[in-house]
Amino acid sequence: MPIFGGLTKYVVIEATGFNNYWNIGWEGFIHKLPIKQNKIMLLVGKKGLIAYGLGDGRKMIKLKIVGYGELGDKKYNSLRLF
């Protein structure tokens, strides 16, 4: 939570090269929840963004940063936050 010193900045990531769903991974972790839309918001830490995408065939997919923002700016209300 931002009021307790949590992360407040995010990037909008667009994934290409998947069929039905994809998963996001970062720093040795993979988020198990299947993502069916091609764009998501991902919080960014102090070290920056180091993330990768895995398609439904467990192959690496292309990720592209298409936007930036800060929590509460209401720029990308329709996207899920990870």
Side-chain angles (χ1 to χ4, degrees), residues 1-9 43 70-72:
M1 292 179 66
I3 59 173
F4 298 119
L7 302 175
T8 60
K9 297 184 190 275
L43 290 174
E70 193 165 339
L71 292 178

Side-chain angles (χ1 to χ4, degrees), residues 31-70:
H31 198 288
K32 300 272 183 171
L33 184 67
I35 304 167
K36 296 189 179 197
Q37 61 191 117
N38 66 333
K39 291 182 185 176
I40 63 167
M41 295 184 333
L42 184 63
L43 290 174
V44 178
K46 295 178 182 178
K47 295 179 182 178
L49 178 68
I50 302 171
Y52 57 93
L54 291 175
D56 37 6
R58 291 296 177 215
K59 293 186 179 180
M60 298 287 277
I61 61 172
K62 291 185 180 183
L63 298 180
K64 179 178 157 184
I65 296 176
V66 294
Y68 297 92
E70 193 165 339

Side-chain angles (χ1 to χ4, degrees), residues 68-80:
Y68 297 92
E70 193 165 339
L71 292 178
D73 63 10
K74 299 182 182 184
K75 286 185 190 177
Y76 301 97
N77 283 340
S78 63
L79 300 180
R80 292 172 62 188

Side-chain angles (χ1 to χ4, degrees), residues 12-29:
V12 177
I13 296 175
E14 182 176 42
T16 56
F18 65 96
N19 293 323
N20 298 317
Y21 67 90
W22 63 286
N23 299 90
I24 188 81
W26 60 92
E27 296 183 15
F29 298 98

